[in-house]
Amino acid sequence: GNSVTQMEGPVTLSEEAFLTINCTYTATGYPSLFWYVQYPGEGLQLLLKATKADDKGSNKGFEATYRKETTSFHLEKGSVQVSDSAVYFCALSVDGAQKLVFGQGTRLTINP
Amino acid sequence: GAGVSQSPSNKVTEKGKDVELRCDPISGHTALYWYRQSLGQGLEFLIYFQGNSAPDKSGLPSDRFSAERTGGSVSTLTIQRTQQEDSAVYLCASNPPGTSGGPQYFGPGTRLLVL
């Protein structure tokens, strides 16, 4: 079946630290990969996506590269800010389907 | 412009009662999704509507759950004979025409508590 496994949280970092949140997947088809973010008190937002191997999605200083050989889509940011504190979800859809399979989410807290 | 709106924002009900949750997508968006977010199960797909096509209902957990979308706009998710395990945040999302691969615009959700 299709599944997504995320780095367990919570993750706590200091401002300006380097961030990596690991995400690996298993898929029966050819997946598209996504990162969503949920800020405190707000709705879920699409952060970035990649639809084929070696594609890099990027937004708001975050990046993730679709690695087919390691079935991974790790989220990275070079210098985090307090405003990046949120819950981050990795997700996939298979063969163009609109149904997403989500990871369990990783809570990130950035301290000033 | 206005985003996806959902009502009510919170709903408390007794086990066995029926509930209706409403979603108003962004005007002009043809795709509409329902997901739910619970502590035990995380984020789960429920149902997907695209224009006039038959909806993808493959995520509905039981026949107590149903959804409809009237006039290609507003959608209602109905849960009959609610159970405590239905307690969750129910999220609606919509996409504009021509968007591929997953919902992009989520509403704030309806928090359902079944006592």
Side-chain angles (χ1 to χ4, degrees):
Chain A
N2 302 315
S3 67
V4 175
T5 301
Q6 277 183 243
M7 172 178 179
E8 286 194 19
V11 174
T12 302
L13 295 172
S14 298
E15 206 165 22
E16 299 183 2
F18 184 88
L19 168 71
T20 301
I21 300 178
N22 289 339
C23 172
T24 57
Y25 66 89
T26 58
T28 54
Y30 192 64
S32 295
L33 302 171
F34 307 82
W35 277 101
Y36 285 82
V37 59
Q38 192 170 32
Y39 297 104
E42 297 186 17
L44 206 58
Q45 301 176 25
L46 176 64
L47 180 60
L48 53 85
K49 67 179 182 181
T51 57
K52 61 182 187 295
D54 300 325
D55 269 3
K56 178 185 286 187
S58 61
N59 187 22
K60 299 182 180 181
F62 290 89
E63 293 183 340
T65 301
Y66 187 140
R67 300 286 188 202
K68 189 177 179 183
E69 64 275 15
T70 54
T71 61
S72 66
F73 193 54
H74 304 322
L75 183 68
E76 296 182 336
K77 186 173 185 181
S79 176
V80 292
Q81 306 300 313
V82 172
S83 57
D84 294 327
S85 298
V87 181
Y88 292 82
F89 295 90
C90 186
L92 66 81
S93 69
V94 177
D95 296 332
Q98 295 290 331
K99 177 169 55 178
L100 289 178
V101 174
F102 283 89
Q104 70 270 34
T106 302
R107 182 176 298 278
L108 173 66
T109 301
I110 307 300
N111 294 321
Chain B
V4 177
S5 60
Q6 294 185 244
S7 59
S9 54
N10 290 281
K11 176 72 176 177
V12 181
T13 190
E14 294 178 347
K15 178 181 172 181
K17 301 283 190 184
D18 298 351
V19 295
E20 284 190 353
L21 312 180
R22 177 187 168 106
C23 172
D24 285 81
I26 295 172
S27 177
H29 281 198
T30 52
L32 187 146
Y33 310 75
W34 284 98
Y35 281 77
R36 72 176 176 182
Q37 187 174 21
S38 60
L39 282 176
Q41 302 297 323
L43 273 156
E44 301 173 281
F45 167 82
L46 296 177
I47 189 169
Y48 162 64
F49 296 89
Q50 174 61 272
N52 295 322
S53 302
D56 178 353
K57 303 181 181 180
S58 59
L60 295 178
S62 76
D63 59 7
R64 296 187 295 105
F65 288 73
S66 62
E68 60 180 26
R69 189 177 185 193
T70 53
S73 180
V74 171
S75 178
T76 302
L77 177 69
T78 301
I79 310 173
Q80 295 179 311
R81 305 181 302 282
T82 52
Q83 303 295 312
Q84 289 181 333
E85 62 262 28
D86 299 335
S87 297
V89 178
Y90 288 81
L91 298 171
C92 178
S94 68
N95 275 4
T99 306
S100 62
Q104 295 192 12
Y105 300 87
F106 278 85
T110 292
R111 187 175 298 274
L112 175 67
L113 178 62
V114 182
L115 300 177

